[in-house]
Each structure stands twice: as C-alpha cells, then as structure tokens.
C-alpha cells in the first residue's frame, strides 16, 4: 500500500493454480523416474524391488484384486502431495519402466545395495547426478534489478516494449571474480515473470524462454551440460559400487561399461556438431568486420567445445582405467575404485 502496489487480480491467481497443477505433475514424473532408475539398478528381483520401494517413499500398485499381475503398474510418491498415481507407460515413451521389461534388468544385477544401504546410496546419486544443472548462463550486473536476503531479481524484456522482473533463488547463482554471476538451470524449471506496469500480464515462463532472452540481452551464449555427462557419472558411480564389492567383471560391469562407451560416442558427435557451427560462423563472416555479437557467439561456441572435449577426455581416460583394472582382476582379487584423475588410482594403474 505504501508504494501503491495493487493486489493480484483473479486472472493471475487462476493462472497460478493452473501452473501449480502442471508443475507438480512435472515434478512427480521426474521424481518418480529418478527413484525408479536407482531402485531398478539396485534390485536383484521383482520381490526385492517391491521391498525397496517404501524405503524411497514410493508406493507401487502391481496386482489386481484377484492377485494377477496388472498390464500397467502405477506409482505414487508418499512424501509429495501427489493425488493421482502415475502409470508406468506414461513415464517414458521407450517402455523402460514397463513391468515386462523390468525382470530382464533385474537379472543383470549381480550385486545390489541391501535395504539398509539404499537410502544412503540414493542420497549420494542425488548429489552426484540428479542435482546437476542442464544449462548455465552468464548474468551481468546491469541485468539485476534488485536483491534481497534470499532472491535475485532479473530485468526481463518481452514483447513490444514490455518489461518485468523474474525472481530466482540465490542458490542457483555462482558468483564470479569479475562481478558477473553464473545462473544454473534445469530444463524443467519455471519462473514467475511479473510485469512492472500491468500485473494482469504476469505469467509463468519456462527456463528455455528465460535463457533465450537473457543471453540475447548480454550476447553471451549459454553453456549446455549434455545428458551424456549425467549418464556417465551414474555409470561411474555404479562401477565404483561394484568395485567396492570386489566385482570387476560380469554382465553388470559390462552393462555400465557399455553405457560409458556410448557416452564417449555421444560426446564425440557433440564436439563435431559444435565444430561445424564454428566453421559456419567463421565462413559467414570471414570477409566482413566482426561485430560484438559475432565475437561473443564464437566465444560461447569455443567454450562449449572446450567443455565437451574435457568431458570426452575424462570418459576416455576412465574407460582405459576400467579396462586395465578389469583385466588385472582376473588374476587378483583386490579392491580397486575407478576415480578419473585420482593420483592414487594412477599409481595403481602404473603398477598394473
């Protein structure tokens, strides 16, 4: 009232309710899939899988009233306000979570976490893999309209001469020495854009829209974190677990090892794709004077290329180490862990 701010209108409230419903549904699906991915990789049988579901606050419905196995299973989060259970065939278009496909996956798991170890193991995977951002963008000081104890407010231009603010929690920002910030986002993130003049025009926007506008404003291309990175770390963590259990060969090791090899191929293809983009930009402007826009675009592509090459080299190095350790384990039963860049592990490799 002191600053003449009007109450939010019903139109915005109704949009908020619709968004909340959509956001929760998205959150439920992502959260269910994360927990299922981990439990499927750490279950030795369907019965073991059922017993471990409640440990991660998941409720599964698999049987009819007569005791027959249903065609589609449903899952519900017990620690989220989820009203309707999600069916397994709606979680993934490839059928990865269908009951008929789970049994074959359980057979590949020679060694799994016990029920006592499940919660601790899942918390580690959440920190290592699921918490990783999908994209990172640079925010310059002039793009920040205000800050408070918990949030940073970014100026956001949209449409024709429309301007508003987007509020983002400080935990998603990294402070840089040059005064800039790095904003880390997930593809599933949504933010409320509040119009500074007409609150009825306020809306929720996807992170992709936010990234496109903010990077257009400061001419700094976003840095993408490819899904290959997350899948590689998941496979590496799984191999470390098997190594701790003195398992260095077999179907389960081969499964995670093949995932790492496929990620090596993915990263190689991504590097080639970025190289082609760089060549196209250079070719387009080789007879023209480079503008600030072009220079920053190339700067972003080169940075993206460098990060991809680092990922590619890390995967390649780890694959070489795992191959040597696996071969060595045929004749010796030592507990070895796969840590790329680890000095102790490099010494072990030299000894082999």
């Amino acid at each position: 009232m002191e600053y003449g701010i009007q109450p939010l209108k019903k139109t915005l409230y109704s949009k908020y309710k619709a968004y909340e419903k959509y956001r929760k549904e998205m959150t439920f699906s992502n959260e269910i899939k994360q927990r299922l991915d981990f439990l499927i990789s750490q279950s030795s049988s369907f019965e073991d899988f059922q017993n471990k579901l409640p440990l991660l606050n998941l409720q599964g419905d698999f049987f009819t009233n007569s005791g027959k196995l249903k065609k589609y299973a449903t899952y519900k989060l017990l620690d989220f306000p989820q009203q309707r259970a999600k069916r397994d065939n709606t979680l993934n278009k490839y059928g990865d979570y269908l009951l008929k496909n789970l049994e074959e996956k359980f057979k590949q798991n020679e060694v799994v976490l016990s029920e006592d170890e499940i919660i601790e193991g899942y918390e580690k995977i959440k920190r290592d893999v699921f918490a990783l951002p999908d994209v990172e963008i640079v925010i310059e000081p002039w793009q920040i309209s205000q800050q408070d104890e918990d949030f940073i407010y970014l100026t956001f231009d949209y449409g024709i001469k429309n301007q508003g603010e987007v509020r983002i929690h400080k935990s998603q920002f990294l402070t840089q020495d040059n005064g800039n910030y790095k904003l880390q986002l997930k593809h599933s993130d949504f933010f409320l854009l509040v119009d500074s003049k007409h609150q009825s025009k306020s809306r929720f926007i996807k992170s992709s829209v936010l990234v496109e506008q903010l990077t257009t404003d400061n001419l700094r291309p976003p840095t993408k974190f490819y899904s290959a990175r997350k899948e590689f770390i998941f496979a590496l963590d799984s191999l470390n677990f098997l190594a701790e259990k003195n398992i260095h060969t077999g179907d389960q090791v081969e499964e995670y090892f093949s995932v790492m090899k496929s990620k090596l191929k993915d990263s190689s293809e991504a590097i080639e794709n970025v190289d082609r983009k760089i060549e196209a930009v250079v070719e387009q402007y080789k007879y023209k004077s480079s503008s600030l826009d072009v220079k920053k675009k190339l700067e972003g592509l080169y940075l993206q290329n460098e990060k991809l090459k680092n990922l590619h080299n890390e995967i390649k190095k780890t694959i070489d180490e795992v191959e040597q350790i696996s071969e060595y384990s045929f004749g010796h039963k030592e507990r070895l862990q796969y840590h790329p860049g680890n000095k102790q592990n490099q010494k072990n490799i030299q000894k082999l």
Side-chain angles (χ1 to χ4, degrees):
M1 289 175 67
E2 183 180 348
Y3 291 96
I5 297 172
Q6 298 299 315
L8 298 179
K9 296 182 179 180
K10 283 189 176 181
T11 52
L12 179 60
Y13 179 68
S14 63
K15 286 181 182 178
Y16 178 76
K17 287 199 297 184
Y19 160 71
E20 275 293 291
K21 182 180 178 182
Y22 173 76
R23 185 188 65 80
K24 286 177 181 177
E25 284 299 312
M26 289 295 293
T27 302
F28 297 154
S29 295
N30 291 333
E31 190 68 30
I32 289 171
K33 285 192 288 185
Q34 286 180 6
R35 298 184 193 189
L36 285 178
D37 286 340
F38 179 73
L39 287 172
I40 291 168
S41 70
Q42 296 299 333
S43 297
S44 57
S45 65
F46 183 59
E47 183 181 359
D48 186 34
F49 174 67
Q50 285 180 274
N51 292 336
K52 288 174 178 175
L53 283 173
L55 299 174
L56 296 188
N57 290 307
L58 260 180
Q59 178 182 299
D61 186 7
F62 308 104
F63 301 98
T64 63
N65 292 333
S66 60
K68 291 183 179 180
L69 199 64
K70 290 182 175 180
K71 183 178 180 181
Y72 298 111
T74 58
Y75 297 97
K76 191 174 181 181
L77 296 162
L78 300 178
D79 54 343
F80 277 70
Q82 183 182 353
Q83 300 299 321
R84 296 180 61 185
K86 297 288 292 183
R87 226 163 59 164
D88 55 5
N89 65 324
T90 65
L91 293 172
N92 178 292
K93 64 180 180 180
Y94 304 109
D96 292 338
Y97 304 100
L98 295 178
L99 287 175
K100 64 180 181 180
N101 297 331
L102 294 186
E103 202 60 51
E104 194 60 38
K105 294 182 179 181
F106 297 146
K107 289 177 183 177
Q108 295 174 354
N109 299 336
E110 298 173 46
V111 178
V112 298
L113 287 172
S114 68
E115 292 185 20
D116 293 335
E117 300 169 315
I118 281 289
I119 297 175
E120 184 180 348
Y122 180 67
E123 289 301 320
K124 184 180 186 305
I125 286 292
K126 278 183 71 174
R127 291 193 302 271
D128 291 353
V129 182
F130 300 143
L132 294 175
D134 295 314
V135 64
E136 184 178 81
I137 61 175
V138 174
I139 301 296
E140 297 180 356
W142 60 267
Q143 293 179 286
I144 298 173
S145 58
Q146 60 174 313
Q147 297 187 44
D148 59 30
E149 189 176 345
D150 299 313
F151 295 95
I152 290 177
Y153 298 78
L154 303 180
T155 302
F156 191 89
D157 296 318
Y158 67 100
I160 302 174
K161 296 183 179 180
N162 291 324
Q163 192 175 77
E165 280 187 337
V166 177
R167 186 184 75 168
I168 304 174
H169 199 273
K170 284 186 174 180
S171 61
Q172 293 185 246
F173 290 88
L174 299 175
T175 307
Q176 303 299 293
D177 294 335
N178 59 5
N180 293 338
Y181 292 85
K182 283 191 175 180
L183 172 59
Q184 296 184 327
L185 302 165
K186 287 181 172 291
H187 294 318
S188 57
D189 286 343
F190 275 79
F191 301 96
L192 178 62
L193 166 62
V194 179
D195 190 291
S196 53
K197 293 182 179 179
H198 309 286
Q199 290 190 5
S200 60
K201 292 183 179 180
S202 299
R203 67 194 70 177
F204 285 93
I205 57 173
K206 296 179 181 179
S207 62
S208 58
V209 176
L210 184 71
V211 168
E212 183 178 359
Q213 181 60 53
L214 294 176
T215 54
T216 300
D217 289 345
N218 65 18
L219 302 177
R220 293 179 179 271
T223 301
K224 296 177 183 177
F225 295 106
Y226 292 87
S227 59
R229 178 168 166 256
K230 293 185 178 183
E231 292 164 23
F232 160 66
I233 295 173
F234 186 91
L236 182 60
D237 276 3
S238 301
L239 282 170
N240 268 327
F241 162 70
L242 293 174
E244 289 169 1
K245 300 295 183 182
N246 210 23
I247 303 294
H248 305 286
T249 58
D251 292 342
Q252 202 170 1
V253 171
E254 284 298 320
E255 173 67 22
Y256 293 124
F257 195 49
S258 65
V259 169
M260 294 176 72
K261 282 186 172 180
S262 69
K263 297 310 121 186
L264 185 68
K265 182 182 177 183
D266 290 347
S267 62
S268 180
E269 290 174 353
I271 291 170
E272 291 175 5
N273 186 39
V274 174
D275 282 338
R276 283 194 293 270
K277 289 181 180 179
I278 292 173
E279 289 175 8
V281 173
V282 172
E283 181 66 26
Q284 184 179 357
Y285 293 96
K286 67 178 180 180
Y287 298 119
K288 303 176 184 177
S289 58
S290 298
S291 64
L292 181 61
D293 187 5
V294 175
K295 288 178 180 178
K296 287 198 172 184
K297 186 175 184 179
L298 279 172
E299 180 188 336
L301 286 170
Y302 283 125
L303 180 61
Q304 197 172 331
N305 191 288
E306 181 186 350
K307 287 183 177 294
L308 277 169
K309 285 181 177 177
N310 290 339
L311 172 63
H312 182 82
N313 292 334
E314 184 182 353
I315 297 173
K316 189 175 185 301
K317 183 179 178 182
T318 306
I319 287 175
D320 291 341
E321 291 177 356
V322 175
E323 281 181 330
Q324 292 186 52
I325 292 172
S326 296
E327 290 173 5
Y328 179 74
S329 68
F330 277 117
H332 301 77
K333 298 294 183 182
E334 293 189 10
R335 283 185 165 184
L336 300 175
Q337 287 192 341
Y338 320 121
H339 291 293
N342 186 293
K343 290 182 180 179
Q344 184 59 44
N345 197 47
Q346 290 175 359
K347 289 179 182 179
N348 289 337
I349 295 296
Q350 290 171 359
K351 289 179 182 178
L352 305 188

